[in-house]
Amino acid sequence: GIPIGEGGTTTKNLHNFSVKCQSLRWVIIDEISMVSALLLGRLEKLMTKVARRRCIYRCRPDRSRRPFGGVNMLLCGDFFQLKPVRGLSLYDNWADASTEVEYDGMKLLWGIPKKEAVHRCWNLKESLRCSDPWYHEFLNRCRHGNLTCRFHQLIHGFPTSMAITAEEEYSN
């Protein structure tokens, strides 16, 4: 229901969006790697525009405005996964930003001053999706681009010199 596409910011849409956002305190974006810098920048501008003037969270005590109209943002994802279908990904070079809104989207995640950007980041290192040690090691090697020849041969059904055990591959 976020009117940020082409022609999506009509006065009626902004009013409806504003009504929906009046009691909003959190926005959770999953799969942040698929969100373009332009989309994040447009979302920030839109949420700031529709935030109520009397909202106590819109401004800081020094009267400077908060990003996203003072709404808390929780961004979850893995930048090793898919890039956005269109646009500059949030982990690309800032110099590649073609518009001011796209640049502002990048600044929201990586910018200075810190009060205008992400405040905290947690790096989760333990995978809970896979309990098989060998398969877990295989996925990690694929993720980081260091698949050994033996893993490659085994996965593609090619002959290997010997059976692969998890302990053997961990030591390489």
Side-chain angles (χ1 to χ4, degrees):
I2 301 171
I4 56 176
E6 297 301 319
T9 55
T10 65
T11 304
K12 183 179 182 205
N13 286 346
L14 287 177
H15 175 73
N16 291 341
F17 188 64
S18 178
V19 170
K20 288 180 186 178
C21 292
Q22 285 181 5
S23 61
L24 186 66
R25 289 301 309 133
W26 282 91
V27 170
I28 301 171
I29 299 177
D30 194 14
E31 301 299 346
I32 190 65
S33 69
M34 294 189 69
V35 174
S36 69
L38 183 63
L39 178 62
L40 191 64
R42 284 182 177 172
L43 180 62
E44 193 280 328
K45 299 243 182 280
L46 178 65
M47 290 179 68
T48 299
K49 188 175 192 175
V50 301
R52 291 184 0 192
R53 287 191 175 96
R54 292 179 297 192
C55 178
I56 61 172
Y57 304 109
R58 183 178 179 163
C59 295
R60 294 182 184 87
D62 66 0
R63 304 302 303 153
S64 63
R65 76 166 187 88
R66 289 187 168 120
F68 297 99
V71 174
N72 296 301
M73 301 294 291
L74 180 62
L75 312 175
C76 307
D78 182 351
F79 284 122
F80 275 104
Q81 293 184 357
L82 296 174
K83 294 174 79 167
V85 175
R86 287 185 295 163
L88 185 69
S89 65
L90 290 167
Y91 52 87
D92 280 335
N93 189 345
W94 288 37
D96 295 337
S98 58
T99 66
E100 185 179 340
V101 176
E102 201 169 43
Y103 182 81
D104 289 345
M106 294 290 278
K107 193 168 65 172
L108 287 166
L109 207 58
W110 311 108
I112 296 174
K114 203 62 169 166
K115 70 180 185 178
E116 298 298 325
V118 171
H119 287 203
R120 203 169 281 129
C121 180
W122 291 276
N123 186 13
L124 306 178
K125 296 180 180 184
E126 182 182 347
S127 174
L128 301 175
R129 291 184 176 175
C130 180
S131 60
D132 181 275
W134 184 89
Y135 188 58
H136 178 73
E137 179 67 16
F138 166 72
L139 292 175
N140 272 338
R141 287 184 179 270
C142 288
R143 174 187 180 91
H144 294 286
N146 62 357
L147 195 62
T148 64
C149 183
R150 293 172 65 188
F151 263 121
H152 184 270
Q153 288 175 330
L154 187 67
I155 293 304
H156 289 288
F158 299 134
T160 59
S161 59
M162 57 197 289
I164 297 177
T165 63
E167 294 78 25
E168 195 176 319
E169 275 300 319
Y170 292 147
S171 64
N172 290 337

